[in-house]
Amino acid sequence: MVTENPFFSPSSLPFQLPPFAEIRDDHYEPAFERGMAEQIAEVQAILVAPEPATFANTIEALERSGRILKRVSAVFFGLSSSDKTPFIAELEERIAPRLSAHGDRIRLDSDLYERIRAVSERVAAGEEQLDAEAVYLVDRYLTSYTLSGAGLGDADKATLREVNQRLSTLTTRFDTDLLDDTNALAVHVADVSELDGLGADAIATAAANATSRGLEGYLITLVLPTGHPYLASLTNRALRERIMTASQSRAARDNDADNRPVVLEIARLRASRAELLGFRSHAAAVTAAQTAGTPEAVDALLRRLAAPAAANARAEAAVLQEQIDATETDSTLASWDWAFYTEKVRAARFDVDTSAMRPYFDAERVLRDGVFFAATSLYGIRFEERFDLAAYNGEARVFEVTEDDGTPIGLYLLDLYTRDSKHGGAWMNSFVSQSRLLGTPRVVTNNLNVPRPAPGTPTLLTLDEVTTLFHEFGHALHGLFATVTYPRFAGTSVFRDFVEFPSQVNEMWMLWPEVLANYAKHFDTGEPMPQEMVDRLIASRAFNEGFRTSEYLAAALLDQAWHGLSSAEAEAVTDVAEFERAALERVGLADRAVPTRYSSTYFSHVFAGGYDAGYYSYIWSEVLDADTVRWFEENGGMTRANGDRFRRHVLGIGGSRDPLEAYREFRGRDADIAPLLERRGLTES
Ligand SMILES: [Zn+2]
């Protein structure tokens, strides 16, 4: 018997969880085919309707369209990030340009554009009575169709289509190259003595990595950012240098996985597309539909921070050099030394040894007694693991989330461990996005890249990994609390320079006294983390912020530099490394000891991940975050009343309203930048 393709109808599993156990490789392509055909038919039906365009027969009908495509895309692209098999990689290269062409066919349809404009005019003239979410939806549709080029003439549209398809191929290529070269550049170590400074579990992980590739000895796999976490503890300077050099050379090595030509072509195509749409640069086109509005507003914020950050980093470097001079001779601080000596100075000045904290960060306790506990305290929600429901990979876990009174909310999937098939970094995505119109519930996922401990030993997280888990869970809450009518506004479907705000706010609970006391217990003895350790950690937090802010700002400004190019300017760039150096020098962030968090050839966020001309978003939303943290602090901290207010005004509305207007209602005023500057120890002089 031939079973029906599981993507053709909604899943019958709880919360419409995709039936992963039934999904086979050969289901994807037919589902993409049928999904695209179905949506084209739905759009045709909208266009041939004899009645004049109304909200219901045009905008709402568009929101209802493409359900098979949504289902298959959510699963396929979720797996492309979390568990990319050679099959998925191959199909993605083929299907991505076709999906892009499909999207263009709809977004560039002149008749559809005319109908959307007609609806917008009817609404403006008061001929349709719609609720606020629907009115906002009409506005968003008109903006996005205009920005996508629906108003262009036929020849320009044809060019646009070609550019979009080529870009789609290139961005996929970028990530595939990066994954290949990251795997190829894993650092091989023959003798365990070279790993001095690493904990037993990290050494066991490195040994297992080597074995899994049929190698003797140890293998250190690279992480997405330039700075590898092991650089903080490895005492062998030559090995630190090897790791740093490998990280920085990714996808820039004159081999099959060289991303330099890819970067140049992406920058040129994006610039020429922007010009076609009537913008000076890609950054100008992107920010036109963000809360920031213009690249100038973005640059103003970044530059306001760059000078004090660089000055602080220089002061930190002087302190680190003193530390080096006191222990070694003839050694000048290099990028691979920064984290190592920072830890030494941190230990000396604040007596904080972050590796001594790890025994207090047992992953299971951090999750249940930290992350979940804070969410329960703030929002009254509860979590129960559903062993009866299967995720896409045996390593991912499934939790059901309910309100205080038992009302179901959705499913939360957690995929903690690193795999060769997993994209680097950490993220949240949705398998099912909430919408009242479609009657869809919520299934959200968090992915991290925690190294798997040796069998029989607990997973002990680093301080950074604990932060990441709280952060990603903030995105998950945004998806889980979504209560919107239209799918376009579901959960995290907000402006990109707003989307990091809820996740950043959620990080505040990690060191909140009641939360920390509840989860930070020794994995073996159950003893709470000593209070003086906590106090010292908090006291040390502004330390090294010059470095952290600088490496981030360097990446953000690099993104602005690539995407701020006009078409002619982009054509003139031929050398990626040279362009980078010049861009960083211009803003005073070209310090070789403080490398940019991502160099262009492995800056996946902006060349493949949808953060193009948008990496600034993190600091843009951190302004809101720091201001919100202050609000919680001034209003009684972790209470249900505060949580509910934040949920009502921010988390629950998804993208269904103007975000800054909603923020104003939540806060009683616009966000203030002072809390951010204070948090990062950046005082403007
Ligand atoms: Zn995030």
Side-chain angles (χ1 to χ4, degrees):
M1 193 187 104
V2 181
T3 53
E4 204 201 24
N5 190 311
F7 294 116
F8 289 175
S9 45
S11 163
S12 56
L13 292 175
F15 302 96
Q16 299 185 23
L17 176 71
F20 292 107
E22 288 170 35
I23 297 169
R24 297 190 317 260
D25 281 351
D26 60 358
H27 287 138
Y28 292 113
E29 202 164 0
F32 277 121
E33 299 286 356
R34 189 189 283 205
M36 286 188 272
E38 176 195 61
Q39 193 168 31
I40 291 299
E42 286 163 335
V43 170
Q44 275 315 113
I46 294 171
L47 293 175
V48 300
E51 304 82 23
T54 63
F55 177 80
N57 74 17
T58 303
I59 309 274
E60 191 183 299
L62 280 170
E63 286 288 286
R64 288 184 192 278
S65 73
R67 301 189 63 178
I68 292 178
L69 199 53
K70 270 200 193 80
R71 281 195 289 269
V72 64
S73 297
V75 172
F76 184 80
F77 291 104
L79 293 196
S80 162
S81 302
S82 304
D83 203 5
K84 192 177 207 156
T85 60
F87 174 84
I88 288 181
E90 186 274 327
L91 178 55
E92 188 176 356
E93 288 228 20
R94 260 184 316 118
I95 208 76
R98 295 195 49 209
L99 288 172
S100 157
H102 168 78
D104 277 356
R105 189 170 161 190
I106 299 170
R107 274 191 305 270
L108 290 176
D109 191 298
S110 307
D111 297 337
L112 200 53
Y113 180 64
E114 286 312 317
R115 287 185 73 97
I116 293 167
R117 239 183 26 187
V119 174
S120 168
E121 279 160 16
R122 277 171 63 98
V123 172
E127 289 164 34
E128 284 215 49
Q129 296 306 312
L130 302 173
D131 67 15
E133 185 178 341
V135 172
Y136 190 60
L137 183 68
V138 175
D139 187 50
R140 303 283 302 122
Y141 259 83
L142 188 63
T143 306
S144 84
Y145 271 70
T146 305
L147 276 174
S148 68
L152 295 177
D154 287 346
D156 283 346
K157 271 189 196 165
T159 309
L160 194 61
R161 275 194 198 95
E162 271 169 42
V163 169
N164 285 345
Q165 279 184 53
R166 180 67 189 151
L167 275 170
S168 155
T169 305
L170 288 168
T171 52
T172 305
R173 175 72 196 277
F174 183 97
D175 256 355
T176 307
D177 284 349
L178 177 55
L179 187 62
D180 287 351
D181 217 34
T182 300
N183 287 333
L185 278 164
V187 176
H188 186 234
V189 175
D191 195 308
V192 72
S193 67
E194 288 182 71
L195 299 179
D196 181 52
L198 288 191
D201 51 341
I203 293 175
T205 302
N209 287 341
T211 310
S212 76
R213 300 224 200 145
L215 295 168
E216 301 279 323
Y218 307 86
L219 196 68
I220 296 172
T221 51
L222 302 181
V223 298
L224 195 56
T226 303
H228 194 287
Y230 292 174
L231 294 179
S233 49
L234 282 169
T235 62
N236 186 316
R237 189 171 193 235
L239 179 57
R240 290 203 306 266
E241 183 176 355
R242 280 179 68 201
I243 295 172
M244 177 56 81
T245 308
S247 290
Q248 291 186 297
S249 66
R250 274 174 295 172
R253 296 196 296 149
D254 284 317
N255 58 12
D256 283 352
D258 192 340
N259 268 338
R260 286 173 296 185
V262 181
V263 164
L264 291 175
E265 197 181 344
I266 289 175
R268 287 173 193 152
L269 287 172
R270 284 177 176 164
S272 74
R273 180 175 61 185
E275 199 170 275
L276 200 60
L277 294 170
F279 292 90
R280 201 203 92 86
S281 66
H282 183 59
V286 168
T287 41
Q290 299 293 327
T291 56
T294 64
E296 288 72 27
V298 173
D299 287 344
L301 175 66
L302 296 180
R303 281 162 188 258
R304 185 168 170 192
L305 297 165
N312 281 24
R314 279 193 298 276
E316 287 161 14
V319 172
L320 299 182
Q321 189 62 53
E322 272 171 37
Q323 179 75 23
I324 295 175
D325 294 343
T327 47
E328 287 162 57
T329 48
D330 286 347
S331 189
T332 306
L333 178 71
S335 57
W336 47 88
D337 299 321
W338 196 289
F340 184 76
Y341 288 101
T342 294
E343 282 310 299
K344 293 254 180 287
V345 172
R346 203 197 298 276
R349 281 209 182 168
F350 304 100
D351 199 13
V352 173
D353 173 5
T354 52
S355 64
M357 294 181 176
R358 290 190 60 199
Y360 297 95
F361 295 148
D362 174 76
E364 196 60 23
R365 278 206 169 109
V366 173
L367 178 69
R368 289 183 183 275
D369 302 335
V371 172
F372 288 173
F373 170 77
T376 303
S377 307
L378 285 158
Y379 312 110
I381 58 177
R382 323 223 157 250
F383 302 84
E384 197 183 322
E385 189 154 10
R386 291 286 302 259
F387 296 99
D388 57 320
L389 297 176
Y392 51 88
N393 179 299
E395 294 194 335
R397 299 162 68 184
V398 183
F399 297 87
E400 180 169 341
V401 187
T402 51
E403 302 281 6
D404 215 0
D405 64 4
T407 308
I409 295 177
L411 295 177
Y412 170 69
L413 276 59
L414 177 63
D415 188 352
L416 195 62
Y417 296 108
T418 190
R419 284 188 292 276
D420 278 357
S421 63
K422 199 192 262 195
H423 193 291
W427 64 93
M428 169 270 189
N429 61 297
S430 292
F431 281 118
V432 183
S433 296
Q434 182 272 338
S435 155
R436 277 190 289 245
L437 184 74
L438 303 181
T440 43
R442 310 161 179 95
V443 178
V444 303
T445 306
N446 276 167
N447 269 273
L448 275 76
N449 266 285
V450 175
R452 181 169 274 288
T457 58
T459 301
L460 301 178
L461 301 180
T462 64
L463 185 66
D464 279 350
E465 287 163 348
V466 176
T467 311
T468 302
L469 188 55
F470 274 89
H471 175 97
E472 295 307 330
F473 191 74
H475 287 303
L477 285 176
H478 203 186
L480 285 167
F481 285 154
T483 309
V484 300
T485 300
Y486 302 103
R488 188 188 182 90
F489 294 144
T492 51
S493 309
V494 296
F495 291 122
R496 204 167 45 184
D497 58 4
F498 193 79
V499 74
E500 293 302 324
F501 163 46
S503 52
Q504 288 168 338
V505 168
N506 204 53
E507 290 179 29
M508 75 177 285
W509 307 115
M510 133 183 201
L511 292 180
W512 195 258
E514 297 133 274
V515 182
L516 190 73
N518 201 54
Y519 77 86
K521 294 176 182 163
H522 195 279
F523 76 97
D524 199 19
T525 64
E527 291 286 316
M529 182 182 271
Q531 187 56 43
E532 62 271 20
M533 194 183 254
V534 179
D535 293 343
R536 285 193 304 258
L537 175 67
I538 291 169
S540 75
R541 287 200 104 194
F543 178 69
N544 207 39
E545 278 299 301
F547 177 90
R548 287 207 334 112
T549 310
S550 296
E551 61 150 14
Y552 164 77
L553 289 174
L557 284 155
L558 198 55
D559 171 33
Q560 291 301 112
W562 278 116
H563 295 118
L565 296 172
S566 70
S567 186
E569 287 163 349
E571 287 299 330
V573 181
T574 51
D575 185 328
V576 171
E578 173 54 29
F579 177 82
E580 247 184 49
R581 199 191 50 72
L584 295 177
E585 241 161 41
R586 255 197 324 274
V587 291
L589 291 170
D591 188 342
R592 289 172 63 85
V594 187
T596 170
R597 189 182 288 177
Y598 306 99
S599 283
S600 305
T601 55
Y602 54 95
F603 202 168
S604 177
H605 291 74
V606 309
F607 287 105
Y611 270 80
D612 40 300
Y615 197 65
Y616 76 87
S617 310
Y618 291 92
I619 204 107
W620 189 272
S621 31
E622 196 179 334
V623 173
L624 301 176
D625 155 35
D627 193 49
T628 300
V629 168
R630 173 111 354 136
W631 178 84
F632 271 106
E633 286 167 353
E634 287 172 354
N635 286 278
M638 192 176 65
T639 65
R640 268 304 297 281
N642 285 349
D644 286 344
R645 183 180 172 88
F646 188 56
R647 177 177 176 176
R648 188 169 63 250
H649 287 282
V650 176
L651 298 175
I653 63 168
S656 66
R657 295 190 51 191
D658 178 315
L660 293 184
E661 208 176 277
Y663 186 81
R664 216 167 288 135
E665 279 178 18
F666 162 70
R667 192 64 168 98
R669 57 162 173 74
D670 285 328
D672 176 12
I673 194 176
L676 170 71
L677 292 170
E678 283 168 38
R679 169 196 287 188
R680 293 194 168 226
L682 305 175
T683 39
E684 290 174 294
S685 50

